[in-house]
Amino acid sequence: DPSGLIVAALSHLEAQPPAADGGRGATTEVLDLRIRLADGAEFPGRVVLKDPDLDLVFIMPVPPKNGGALPTFVHVPLEKGVTAEILDTVVALDRLGKAYDWQPAAIVDRLMAVVQKPRTYYVCPGMTGNPVFRLDGKLLGIGVTRREHDNVEVILPAEDVLEVAQQALAKKEEKPKP
């Protein structure tokens, strides 16, 4: 969203190791959340909505306390009807770590499988937490981890992310809890 609403994989924000019985393990609580922009500027952020079942978290930037303005955010629209087939090439956008000065990176791979039930997922390990695009530039979805049985890394279609994002947009105006 142009207001700065960010979607990410919840599993990248909170540690949730699987329990021995297949259930969720311990969770962590984020006390200090920073949003780093491409130019290195950082802003505090707050969690607006979590969806553990879909492994999504929605974050909003918090305006600076000194009354300064947030930057204008360039957003990627979540469109309905963007699909792909097995063996299609996809590109995930990422950033390297601090040791590599947070440089942009691209992960290029082919879809291993397309799962139709209980919902559509595209299987392509190594893309968790990243936006994943088709070669025509359309956003296919967000890389997440499915934790039902065996922690499979998949791409959740943009259309499904959009449904939850609409809930997050409705909640973004709520005051954060102290």
Side-chain angles (χ1 to χ4, degrees):
D1 181 74
S3 68
L5 182 68
I6 298 167
V7 62
L10 181 59
S11 57
H12 276 214
L13 191 64
E14 295 182 345
Q16 296 177 328
D21 63 359
R24 292 190 190 262
T27 61
T28 56
E29 182 180 350
V30 176
L31 301 176
D32 183 30
L33 180 64
R34 298 273 169 196
I35 299 167
R36 179 185 300 271
L37 303 179
D39 65 1
E42 287 188 359
F43 291 89
R46 69 179 175 92
V47 173
V48 177
L49 181 70
K50 295 179 190 178
D51 188 326
D53 293 332
L54 294 179
D55 190 30
L56 296 175
V57 62
F58 291 86
I59 301 164
M60 280 298 298
V62 175
K65 290 181 180 177
N66 64 6
L70 290 170
T72 301
F73 291 91
V74 177
H75 76 286
V76 177
L78 297 167
E79 298 179 41
K80 293 184 177 188
V82 179
T83 62
E85 301 296 327
I86 189 171
L87 293 179
D88 280 358
T89 301
V90 293
V91 179
L93 298 182
D94 199 358
R95 283 204 178 269
L96 300 177
K98 184 177 182 178
Y100 298 99
D101 195 30
W102 307 104
Q103 290 301 304
I107 303 165
V108 180
D109 207 342
R110 291 185 179 269
L111 296 178
M112 293 174 48
V114 178
V115 177
Q116 298 294 333
K117 292 184 180 182
R119 66 170 58 238
T120 300
Y121 293 109
Y122 302 98
V123 181
C124 195
M127 298 192 173
T128 301
N130 299 316
V132 182
F133 297 85
R134 298 187 317 191
L135 290 181
D136 65 1
K138 297 250 184 208
L139 180 67
L140 180 61
I142 304 293
V144 298
T145 301
R146 299 301 307 148
R147 298 184 181 277
E148 284 96 11
H149 303 291
D150 52 3
N151 291 347
V152 176
E153 294 178 3
V154 299
I155 300 162
L156 181 65
E159 188 169 327
D160 292 345
V161 177
L162 177 60
E163 289 179 25
V164 186
Q166 290 167 337
Q167 296 171 33
L169 284 170
K171 290 186 67 119
K172 78 176 186 179
E173 300 304 323
E174 293 179 11
K175 297 284 183 202
K177 295 177 184 173

